[in-house]
């Protein structure tokens, strides 16, 4: 009797229906594509043929094997055997073991099948592209799922199915979207990070594995935690790729979500809210803040909120959500003041400052620069020193890392001479900001001086502002307030700073950074 199941390279233990089943594995399965969990006893989400090769029952030439279903267990180990690296799994509901098939008829067929299919070197090309994923969808996404008592175990499982469908349709891959999952309940739990999986199959397994936590739906707490902790480079976030959090909410949050929304925007994260089963009229009295969706999303423009009436029959909602998540140009919150500004420092090198105070000026500049995300696609820093003459210490394109910028600032040598601030502003506008004028970043100039300028500052400052440069003036000691105000952008009060002593510069750092961020946000609204 030839009671056998022809299987593919990807058939898993849980795809088989019987307690004991004889299957015929094909030849030449690509070894790197096998997902195998355990050793000897394999979690049922393992590939059957992968497990058979891993355990040495067959080789990659294929053949007949017998699969025996076993109960689930804990701690499936990772073992490298026969060219396959199996993976660790903490717990799974069922297992299987693999032995040679006793079915001789099947064996004969097995031999003819595996020899009848010589490997043509053509097949693997397609699978490699699949590995890369959907290159047109550039996104690093955290799915913040609802694990509260509000949703309950049954709807929690429906939610997992929906998130799984979204993950598959996104086209996850090494060069496509990467995803991770955080569960919101009493305390947030990061279930897996962006770096953990780069294939949709793996992500699906991981989502199926998620256990329901229960507790209050502290969505605000979870959103804040995710915005702050999830997207670090060491956890797999990629430079220059939009960061997105998709918040799934059944009902309403039990805590305040507005502050979390502000934090997410500050961190350059685009927040979407998918609300399911909106509060009914009777329930509205229990909701802390009726406008919770508008306060948490990236922008209250309709794009970032998404509604589903229930968790049942959600398939039709998958594609429109995926289209939103892949609309790179709509991610308005990716640009922040920290990663999208050019800051030029214009440094007075006149002889009245002296060596030790000049060091304090450089320290001030370093402390401001340090706050920004400096990179080839992020913020940029430049510095010009002036007396009657000007010297470009470094331009915006010279250094693209924070370390190099800070080291260049430390190495600036004090010139010592007169003070022609107006000329220096014109020089900087033309030579330092000129080449950047069509770039994406917003331009800022911080002028530091300790005295009266020998030339007119008003004309050059007006021309700089007209060229799109926002000016902050920072005066020390004998710098006349009128000059400082004449140089500063509107509103002048908030763009003019003054301190009697050079040691007072340090206290100004947070205010300057805040000022830059405020101007940046105002320009975006």
């Amino acid at each position: 009797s030839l009671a056998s199941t022809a299987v593919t390279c990807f058939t898993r233990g849980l795809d088989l229906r019987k307690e004991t089943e004889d299957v015929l594995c094909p030849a030449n399965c690509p070894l790197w594509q096998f997902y195998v969990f355990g050793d000897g006893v394999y979690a049922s989400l393992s590939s059957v043929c992968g497990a058979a090769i891993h355990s040495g029952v067959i080789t990659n030439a294929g053949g007949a094997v017998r699969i025996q279903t076993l109960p689930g267990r804990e701690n499936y180990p990772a073992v490298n055997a026969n060219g396959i690296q199996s993976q660790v799994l903490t717990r799974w509901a069922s297992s299987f073991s693999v032995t040679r098939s006793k079915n001789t008829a099947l064996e004969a067929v097995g031999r003819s099948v595996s020899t009848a299919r010589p490997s043509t070197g053509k097949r693997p090309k397609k699978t490699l592209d699949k590995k890369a994923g959907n290159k047109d969808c550039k996104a690093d996404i955290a799915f913040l799922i609802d694990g509260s008592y509000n949703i309950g175990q049954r709807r929690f499982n429906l939610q997992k199915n929906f998130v799984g469908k979204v993950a598959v349709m996104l086209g996850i891959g090494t060069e496509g979207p990467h995803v991770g999952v955080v569960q919101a309940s009493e305390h947030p739990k990061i279930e897996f990070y962006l770096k953990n999986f780069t294939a949709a199959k793996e992500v699906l397994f991981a989502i199926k594995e998620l256990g329901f936590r229960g507790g209050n739906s502290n969505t605000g707490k979870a959103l804040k935690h995710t915005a702050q902790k999830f997207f670090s480079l060491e956890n797999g976030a990629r430079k220059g790729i939009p960061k997105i959090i998709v918040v799934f909410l059944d009902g309403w949050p039990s805590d305040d979500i507005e502050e979390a929304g502000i934090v997410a925007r500050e961190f350059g994260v685009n927040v979407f809210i998918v609300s399911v089963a909106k509060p009914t009229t009777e329930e509205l009295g229990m909701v802390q803040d009726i406008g919770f969706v508008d306060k948490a999303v990236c922008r209250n423009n309709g794009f970032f909120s998404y509604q589903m009436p229930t968790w049942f029959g959600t398939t039709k909602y998958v594609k429109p959500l995926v289209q939103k998540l892949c609309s790179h140009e709509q991610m308005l919150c990716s640009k922040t003041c920290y990663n999208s500004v050019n800051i030029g420092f214009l440094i007075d090198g006149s002889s009245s400052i002296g060596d030790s105070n000049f060091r304090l000026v450089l320290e001030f500049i370093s402390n401001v620069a340090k706050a920004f995300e400096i990179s080839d696609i992020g913020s940029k820093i430049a510095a010009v020193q002036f007396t009657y003459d000007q010297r470009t210490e470094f331009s915006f394109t010279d250094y693209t890392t924070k370390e190099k910028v800070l080291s260049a600032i430390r190495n600036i040598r004090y010139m010592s001479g007169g003070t022609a601030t107006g000329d220096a502003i014109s020089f900087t506008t033309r030579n330092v900001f000129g080449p950047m004028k069509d770039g994406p970043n917003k331009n800022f100039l911080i002028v530091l001086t300790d005295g009266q300028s020998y030339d007119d500052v008003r004309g050059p400052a007006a021309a700089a502002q007209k060229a799109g440069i926002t000016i902050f003036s920072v005066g020390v000691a004998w710098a006349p307030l009128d000059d400082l105000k004449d140089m500063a952008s509107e509103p002048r009060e908030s763009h003019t700073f003054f301190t009697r002593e050079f040691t007072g510069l340090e206290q100004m750092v947070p205010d300057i950074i805040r000022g830059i961020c405020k101007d940046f946000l105002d320009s975006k609204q």
Side-chain angles (χ1 to χ4, degrees), residues 488-496 519:
S489 291
E490 299 283 350
R492 297 184 186 228
E493 274 56 51
S494 60
H495 291 80
T496 308
D519 288 345

Side-chain angles (χ1 to χ4, degrees), residues 4 33 47 62 104 112 115 135 190 199 202 208 243 248 250 264 293 345 369 382 389 420 425 459 470:
S4 90
Q33 283 192 342
S47 149
T104 46
S112 63
T115 48
K135 296 181 194 170
I190 295 177
E202 306 173 346
K208 284 203 176 101
K243 305 175 174 72
F248 289 93
D250 188 295
V293 171
F345 291 96
D389 211 6
I425 292 174
T470 302

Side-chain angles (χ1 to χ4, degrees), residues 413-434:
R413 297 284 159 258
Y414 175 40
M415 283 163 78
S416 189
T419 313
T421 315
D423 259 359
I425 292 174
S426 302
F427 171 88
T428 308
T429 304
R430 187 173 61 250
N431 297 321
V432 178
F433 285 98

